Amino acid sequence: MMKVKEIYKISEVVHRAAGGKIENIFLFLNTVFWALLALIVGAAGFSLATGSVIGHGITLFCIVGYTGMIIGFFGGSYYLYRRDEK
């Protein structure tokens, strides 16, 4: 599983290649990573539980959105906050 430190290293590489603030790139990548992970796990869970993802679009959308914002964005913000304290 990818660690937050690895996502930060990837954002440093993107920063060197394209510019922009490392913190902004990191928050974007962390949010997208957690949202995609939630989409994969949620789709697999619905497929196993009900046999299909069809009909669960709104629920899956909410799961992806909340996971991306809470764990991805707010968790990434907390990581940056703790990283600056050291």
Side-chain angles (χ1 to χ4, degrees):
M1 177 104 177
M2 186 175 287
K3 294 182 182 179
V4 178
K5 289 180 184 180
E6 293 173 1
I7 296 173
Y8 193 82
K9 288 178 185 177
I10 292 170
S11 63
E12 287 176 340
V13 171
V14 172
H15 166 69
R16 279 187 242 120
K21 290 185 74 174
I22 294 175
E23 292 83 8
N24 294 344
I25 297 168
F26 169 73
L27 285 176
F28 174 76
L29 290 177
N30 199 42
T31 303
V32 169
F33 171 74
W34 281 102
L36 287 175
L37 184 67
L39 178 66
I40 293 168
V41 171
F46 280 125
S47 294
L48 289 174
T50 63
S52 175
V53 180
I54 298 172
H56 300 287
I58 295 173
T59 306
L60 194 57
F61 179 77
C62 290
I63 290 170
V64 168
Y66 280 116
T67 303
M69 289 307 297
I70 293 171
I71 299 176
F73 185 76
F74 295 131
S77 299
Y78 185 70
Y79 173 78
L80 290 174
Y81 173 74
R82 297 286 294 175
R83 183 175 170 81
D84 287 340
E85 282 185 353
K86 293 181 182 178

